[in-house]
Amino acid sequence: MALLEIKDLHASVADKPILKGINLTIKPGEVHAIMGPNGSGKSTLSNVLAGNEAYVKTAGQVLFDGQDIDDLAAHERACAGMFLAFQYPVEIAGISNMYFLKAAVNAVRKYQGKDQLDAMDFLDMVEDKKKIVKIRDDLLERAVNSGFSGGEKKRNEIFQMAMLEPKLGILDETDSGLDIDALRIVADGVNALRSPDRGFLVITHYQRLLDYIVPDHVHVLVHGQIVKSGGKELALELEDEGYASWVDEKGA
Amino acid sequence: MKIEDEKSFDELTDKEYKYGFVTDIESDSLPPGLNEDIVRAISKRKNEPEWLTEFRLKAYRHWLTLEEPKWAKVEFPPVDYQALSYYSAPKQKIDAPKSLDDVDPELLATYEKLGIPLGEQEVLAGVANVAVDAVFDSVSVATTFKKNLEELGIIFGSFSEAVKDHPELVKKYLGTVVPYKDNYYATLNSAVFSDGSFCYIPKGVKCPMELSTYFRINAANTGQFERTLLIADDDAKVSYLEGCTAPQRDENQLHAAVVELVAHENAQIKYSTVQNWYPGDKDGKGGIYNFVTKRGHCRGNNSKISWTQVETGSAITWKYPSCILKGDNSVGEFYSVAVTNNLQQADTGTKMIHIGKNTKSTIISKGISAGKAQNSYRGMVKVVETAENARNFSQCDSMLIGDQCGAHTFPYIDVSNPTAQVEHEATTTKIGEDQIFYCNQRGLDTEEAVTMIVNGFCKEVFRELPMEFAVEAQKLLGISLEGSVG
Ligand SMILES: Nc1ncnc2c1ncn2[C@@H]1O[C@H](COP(=O)(O)OP(=O)(O)OP(=O)(O)O)[C@@H](O)[C@H]1O
Ligand SMILES: [Mg+2]
C-alpha cells in the first residue's frame, strides 16, 4: 500500500486556486523531491496535506496510509504519522521546547495506543535523538523557537521529527537558511531516519541538498501542477536550466 | 478563526460551571432590605459588643452619602440594594459547631463535592497540609486544625469567634487598613459584614501549614459580605489561601468582601486567591458581582506582603489588592492572572503606595480574554516624598483569544521623590492561528494547544502559588501546569 496517494488534488487559498490537479504517490521507503519556482504552490501542498484550514481542498482525494485525510483533523494526521517540517517554524513564548515536545510525543503515543513516556524515558529518548541532529541543550530549554536563528529553527524541526518518528516526513525548504555544516548535519539526520517503512517529501530549491539526501524521484511543480517527474538527475538538469521553459510556456 | 478552531475555542470557554449546584439546607435569613434596623439586627444576631454595632452604624450612615463608583471599565444594570438580604446562615443542629461532628452533614457533603477537605483525617492522611475555615453564605461553618494552631499561639477561625474571644485584637486592627469610609463597597461591607476569617500570627511564629478560607455562596438573593483580618506580628510568617464558588443562578448576586492584612516588623504574608465564583452563562445571565477591597499594610520595617490571584469566575470583577509600604525596606508584590470569557468583565489590578525608604514593589499581571469579554488592568504606583530609593517594576501582559474580546491597560504612576525608579512594561498578544496549527501539526488538539499557550503565558504567576493551590488553579483553567521536564 502506498504511504501517500494524491489524486487530482485541487486547493485554494483565500479563494484563489493554487493547486490545479496534483497526482503523486509515495511508497514506504521512498524519498521524493519537489522543486519549483517561488509561488508555484509547494508550501500550499504541504499545508493542505497537513490540514492547515487556511488552505481549502476543493477537489481530488488524498490517502495517507490508506486513510482519506478528509476524515482526519490536523492533529490526527500528525498523530497518525504525518510530520511537516515548516518552512517558517512558529515561535511560542513561555513554553519550553522540551515541555512542548514531551506533550507532543505523548499526544502521538496516546493516539497510537502506546504508553505515556515518563520524564525519565523521555529524557533518555532526547539523549538518543540529540545525536541525530546535534541540537544544543540550551535550545531545548528555551521557549519553542523563540529567538532561535533561522538555522536553529530548521534544526529544531528535524529534531522534533526525530523525536516523533513519523511515517511520512514533509520537509518544506528545510535547507534554506542553513550554513554548509548545518546542511550536512540536517541531511545526515534525515538520512539516519530513512527506513524501509518511512517516506519523505522534500521540498527544496537547491540541488545541493539532494546531493546529501538522494531522492528516488524528483518532481517539478509549476503553477500548481507537476509538469515533470524523473529521477535524481532531473534536479541536476534544473540546476542548469532553471524553470524558464515551463514558466514561459504558461506565459507567467 | 477557522470553523474547527472556533468550535474548540467555544468548547474551551463554555466549560460547564461544575460548582453550580445548590445545597438544600434550611437557613436563617433576614428579610430583604437595608436600613439601620437591619444593621442592628445583624449585629444582634451575632451578639456583638456595642463598639462593633457602632462601627457598623457609622459605616452605614456614611454609605448613605456615597454613590457607586463609575470609573471602572465595567457595565451592569444598577444593583437594587433594598432587594437583597443581608444575612443568611445555614440552620445547624447546634449554633456554633464545636467540632466537625456537629456540622450539618449536608454542609460537609457540599464541601466534599467542592473538593475541600474538612475532615482532619483525610488531611492528616496526607491529602493536603492546609487548615481550612469554611464560610457558607454568611457564616463560618467549620475550621480545621484549630488545636494544632492554638499550641503555637496562632488564632485562626471565624471573624465572629474572634470578636467574642479576642475583642481587643479585633478592635485594635479592624478598619485600620481599609477604613470604613474607604469606598462604596468597603463601606457597605463595614455596615453589614456577616462573617469571615480572622487570623493572628504571634511574634516570631512561622505558621507551619497553609491557612485557607473557602467561601461558598448558597442562598439566593443574598449578598455575601465577608471580612477577613489577618495580622502577622513581628517576625511572623504565614501563607494564606482563599477559594470561592457559588451555585448557578439566573440573577446576579453581590459579593462585596473586605480583606485587611497587617504585617509588622520583619513579618511576611503571602495571600493567594483562586476566585471561581459563578461567572454567569454565555449570554451574560446570572453570575456574581465581585466587588472586593483587599489591602495590605506593611507596617513594620522589612515586612513583606505578597498577593497572588487567579481570577477566573464572576460576571464582574472589581478588585485591586494593594500594598501600603510604610515600613522601611518593605516589599509589596502582586501576581495576577485574570481570565474572562463570554460576557465576563474584569477590572482588576493593584496599588502600590511607597512611603518608607528603600521600599520595593513588583507587579506581574496577566489578563486573558476570550469570547466577548473585557479585561482591564488598572494599577497605581505611588511614591510619596518620604520614600527614598523606592523601586517598582510592573509588567502587564494581555492575551486575546478570538477577535471579539478586549484588553485594556490603565497604569497610573505618581512619583514625588526623584530617587524613585519605576518601570512599566506592557504587551498584548493574540493566540495566532499559525501557533495553533503548529501545535496541531505536532499532535496536540486545539484545546490542548490553547491551554498550553495560555499556561506558558501565565507561568510567572502560577509559580507564585502554593502547591495546593497551583493544582486547583491548573484544574480551573483546564490546563496542565507547565513544569520543566524531569
Ligand atoms: N494565506 C495566503 N493568502 C493569500 N495567498 C496565499 C496565501 N498563502 C499562499 N498564497 C499564495 O499562493 C501561492 C503559492 O504559495 P506557496 O507558499 O505555496 O508557494 P511556494 O511554492 O511554497 O513558494 P516559495 O518557493 O516561495 O516558498 C502564492 O502566490 C502565494 O502568494
Ligand atoms: Mg514555500
Side-chain angles (χ1 to χ4, degrees), chain A residues 42-43 87 172-173:
Chain A
K42 303 180 298 297
S43 294
Q87 182 173 2
D172 192 353
E173 293 197 28

Side-chain angles (χ1 to χ4, degrees), chain A residues 37-44 46-47 87-88 172-173 203 205:
Chain A
N38 295 132
S40 58
K42 303 180 298 297
S43 294
T44 301
S46 58
N47 274 291
Q87 182 173 2
Y88 303 108
D172 192 353
E173 293 197 28
I203 296 169
H205 285 294

Side-chain angles (χ1 to χ4, degrees), chain A residues 7-73:
Chain A
K7 291 184 252 181
D8 193 31
L9 174 66
H10 289 68
S12 302
V13 191
D15 291 329
K16 191 173 129 198
I18 306 290
L19 300 184
K20 298 162 186 160
I22 306 268
N23 290 288
L24 179 65
T25 299
I26 300 180
K27 296 206 188 79
E30 290 181 347
V31 175
H32 289 240
I34 291 191
M35 305 184 80
N38 295 132
S40 58
K42 303 180 298 297
S43 294
T44 301
L45 176 62
S46 58
N47 274 291
V48 171
L49 293 176
N52 185 339
E53 293 185 26
Y55 297 76
V56 183
K57 178 168 160 292
T58 50
Q61 192 186 32
V62 179
L63 299 177
F64 174 57
D65 210 17
Q67 254 187 307
D68 192 321
I69 58 165
D70 286 352
D71 299 335
L72 300 172

Side-chain angles (χ1 to χ4, degrees), chain B residues 405-419:
Chain B
C405 50
H408 318 273
T409 306
F410 304 98
Y412 305 91
I413 296 171
D414 176 1
V415 176
S416 308
N417 184 308
T419 61

